[in-house]
């Protein structure tokens, strides 16, 4: 028996962080199976060919594997996740002596049968699978930082983690997501390490990002796996509340599921006079945007209930006021180090709320 060809497996490796290797090498071929070999130089006895080893290709955690038609084959969201993308070829049968009563049955099983002059049977091997794939890397992070360009997201990430993102006084300095690791809550004592979290700083969003403007649409998909959103707002801007609404609206237009997730709002740059003087009013105005579900609902009569049921398919589209408000609004100055610890307490409290909840993370379908 000829040896089988090697399978091809793609697996999630924590040691990988980009897909750039596939730009340099785009084709991977597993080894072929071994041929039938003689057991000795002067011996006519034969032995089976050796099966080829599996070709294992590492990719970063968070890689989505799709075929050329766009069908998702696997979402490698956890370290060690793997998917078999191509099977190796079937080994052939070389010069096998087949008794007459088995010959007809074997020949009926496959069309790849030949007979040589001595009436010995050859069963040709089957070729292995060949497939073209698309690999998409989606960031795996517990917390996603969102906001307009120059709101201070990269500065915040650098201040509370060891990440070193590009920081400058012009927009769109962040061209790809930056990741940082937030240390555990020191108040938990020995269990502090269990509360560590990963933060992702995404490129700034602008109005129309969900339609492809700016850099937003290319990176909004990275929010799919985040549990908590931190909305960074420049409190010294001309209209911070309008900036806040702009980004929230872009998230809603791209995928409304993002607005259902717990989030906090960070009003940055409160060290500047124009931000410090209106911090209290900004906090109150932002907290009023949303529906926390605490208002008492009127009792529905059977007639009203039947009418609402019949019109359920014509329900109006939800606005920003119909989604939950932020868990908290914190005023900070990342550059000056003002109220950083208070912000960290709110982020950790939001993460604990997700951890304590029995509901699994709702991952919206890819757009």
């Amino acid at each position: 028996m000829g040896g089988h060809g090697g399978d091809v497996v793609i697996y999630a490796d924590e040691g990988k962080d980009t897909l750039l290797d596939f730009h340099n090498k785009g084709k991977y071929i597993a080894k072929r199976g071994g041929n039938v070999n003689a057991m000795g130089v002067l011996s006519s006895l034969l032995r089976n060919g050796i099966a080829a080893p599996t070709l294992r290709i590492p990719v970063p955690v968070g890689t989505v594997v799709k075929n050329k038609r766009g069908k998702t084959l696997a979402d490698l969201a956890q370290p060690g996740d793997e998917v078999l993308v191509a099977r190796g070829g079937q080994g052939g049968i070389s010069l096998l002596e087949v008794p007459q009563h088995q010959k007809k049955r074997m020949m009926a099983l496959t069309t790849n049968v030949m007979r040589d002059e001595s009436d010995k049977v050859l069963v040709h091997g089957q070729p292995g699978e060949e497939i073209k794939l698309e690999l998409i890397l989606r960031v795996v992070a517990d917390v996603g930082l969102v906001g307009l360009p120059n709101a201070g997201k990269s500065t915040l990430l650098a201040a509370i983690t060891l990440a070193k993102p590009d920081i400058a006084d012009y927009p769109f300095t962040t061209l790809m997501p930056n990741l940082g690791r937030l240390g555990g809550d020191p108040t938990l004592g020995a269990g502090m390490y269990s509360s560590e979290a990963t933060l992702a700083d995404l490129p700034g969003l602008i109005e129309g990002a969900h339609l492809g403007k700016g850099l937003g649409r290319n990176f909004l998909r990275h929010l799919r796996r985040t549990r908590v959103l931190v909305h960074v707002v420049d409190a010294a801007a001309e209209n911070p509340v309008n900036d806040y609404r702009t980004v929230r609206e872009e998230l809603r237009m791209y995928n409304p599921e993002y607005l259902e997730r717990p989030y906090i709002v960070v009003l940055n740059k409160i060290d500047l006079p124009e931000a410090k003087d209106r911090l209290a009013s900004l906090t109150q105005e932002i907290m009023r945007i949303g529906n926390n579900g605490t208002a008492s609902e009127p009792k529905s009569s059977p007639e009203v209930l039947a009418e609402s049921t019949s019109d359920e398919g014509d329900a109006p589209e939800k606005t920003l006021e119909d989604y939950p408000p932020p868990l908290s609004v914190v005023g900070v100055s990342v550059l000056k180090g003002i109220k950083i610890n208070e912000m960290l307490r709110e982020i950790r409290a939001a993460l604990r709320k997700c951890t304590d909840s029995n509901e699994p993370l709702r991952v919206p379908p890819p757009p």
Side-chain angles (χ1 to χ4, degrees):
M1 301 287 293
H4 296 327
D7 297 332
V8 181
V9 170
I10 295 179
Y11 70 98
D13 184 0
E14 287 185 293
K16 306 286 289 186
D17 53 7
T18 73
L19 294 172
L20 294 179
D21 293 344
F22 294 93
H23 286 280
N24 301 324
K25 182 180 180 181
K27 189 173 184 179
Y28 290 78
I29 304 176
K31 293 183 178 180
R32 69 188 302 273
N35 293 330
V36 176
N37 296 320
M39 297 184 67
V41 178
L42 301 178
S43 172
S44 61
L45 297 178
L46 302 177
R47 62 180 178 186
N48 294 336
I50 299 176
T54 299
L55 175 61
R56 297 178 57 83
I57 304 175
V59 295
V61 176
T63 299
V64 178
V65 183
K66 295 185 176 182
N67 61 18
K68 62 180 180 180
R69 295 183 178 179
K71 180 182 178 182
T72 300
L73 302 181
D75 188 351
L76 308 179
Q78 301 294 331
D81 287 352
E82 62 180 44
V83 57
L84 175 64
V85 295
R87 296 186 181 276
Q90 179 79 18
I93 303 176
S94 175
L95 297 178
L96 178 67
E97 296 281 359
V98 179
Q100 186 65 31
H101 67 277
Q102 294 182 357
K103 190 174 301 184
K104 291 183 179 180
R105 185 177 63 181
M106 173 169 285
M107 294 179 67
L109 294 177
T110 177
T111 58
N112 286 346
V113 176
M114 295 179 60
R115 263 183 290 181
D116 62 3
E117 297 178 354
S118 60
D119 207 26
K120 294 177 180 178
V121 175
L122 307 176
V123 178
H124 288 193
Q126 301 293 328
E129 294 178 333
E130 183 175 346
I131 187 173
K132 292 183 179 180
L133 301 173
E134 179 185 10
L135 302 180
I136 302 173
L137 178 58
R138 293 197 178 111
V139 169
V140 178
D142 302 297
V143 180
L145 305 180
V146 298
L148 291 178
N150 271 19
K153 302 184 299 299
S154 298
T155 306
L156 188 153
L157 184 71
I160 62 178
T161 71
L162 297 179
K164 300 185 182 300
D166 293 332
I167 301 174
D169 58 356
Y170 54 86
F172 295 117
T173 53
T174 301
L175 300 179
M176 61 185 301
N178 295 304
L179 293 179
R181 190 70 175 172
L182 179 64
D185 187 354
T187 62
L188 298 179
M192 63 177 294
Y193 297 105
S194 62
S195 64
E196 291 182 345
T198 303
L199 278 72
D201 166 29
L202 303 183
L205 304 177
I206 64 174
E207 188 172 358
H210 70 283
L211 299 175
K213 294 183 180 180
L215 301 175
R217 186 169 179 83
N218 293 331
F219 301 102
L220 278 169
R221 64 173 182 262
H222 291 298
L223 295 177
R224 292 183 68 236
R225 295 194 179 98
T226 55
R227 292 185 172 273
V228 174
L229 298 182
V230 174
H231 193 134
V232 184
V233 179
D234 183 357
E238 181 178 353
N239 193 337
V241 176
N242 184 65
D243 294 345
Y244 167 76
R245 282 182 169 274
T246 297
V247 175
R248 293 285 291 173
E249 182 65 18
E250 291 304 317
L251 295 177
R252 186 188 71 82
M253 295 294 290
Y254 182 79
N255 200 320
E257 291 283 353
Y258 291 162
L259 270 64
E260 299 285 356
R261 299 188 183 179
Y263 70 102
I264 69 171
V265 177
V266 175
L267 295 174
N268 192 21
K269 305 180 184 180
I270 63 170
D271 57 302
L272 301 178
E274 56 268 34
K276 185 177 181 180
D277 296 340
R278 56 181 177 176
L279 178 60
S281 61
L282 288 177
T283 301
Q284 294 178 2
E285 192 169 353
I286 290 177
M287 287 298 297
R288 286 198 296 264
I289 302 175
N291 180 13
N292 55 18
T294 57
S296 60
E297 299 180 358
K299 295 183 180 180
S300 300
S301 62
E303 293 80 6
V304 174
L305 183 60
E307 182 179 355
S308 63
T309 304
S310 62
D311 296 338
E312 186 175 357
D314 300 329
E317 186 178 6
K318 296 173 68 174
T319 64
L320 295 184
E321 281 71 15
D322 298 322
Y323 291 94
L327 297 177
S328 62
V329 178
V330 186
V332 304
S333 173
V334 178
L335 193 61
K336 300 294 184 180
I338 301 175
K339 293 190 176 180
I340 298 298
N341 289 333
E342 181 180 344
M343 178 190 65
L344 291 177
R345 283 197 298 268
E346 295 296 339
I347 293 177
R348 287 172 174 142
L351 287 171
R352 283 197 301 271
K353 181 177 180 180
C354 297
T355 304
D356 297 339
S357 174
N358 294 327
E359 295 184 3
L361 175 63
R362 296 177 62 185
V363 178

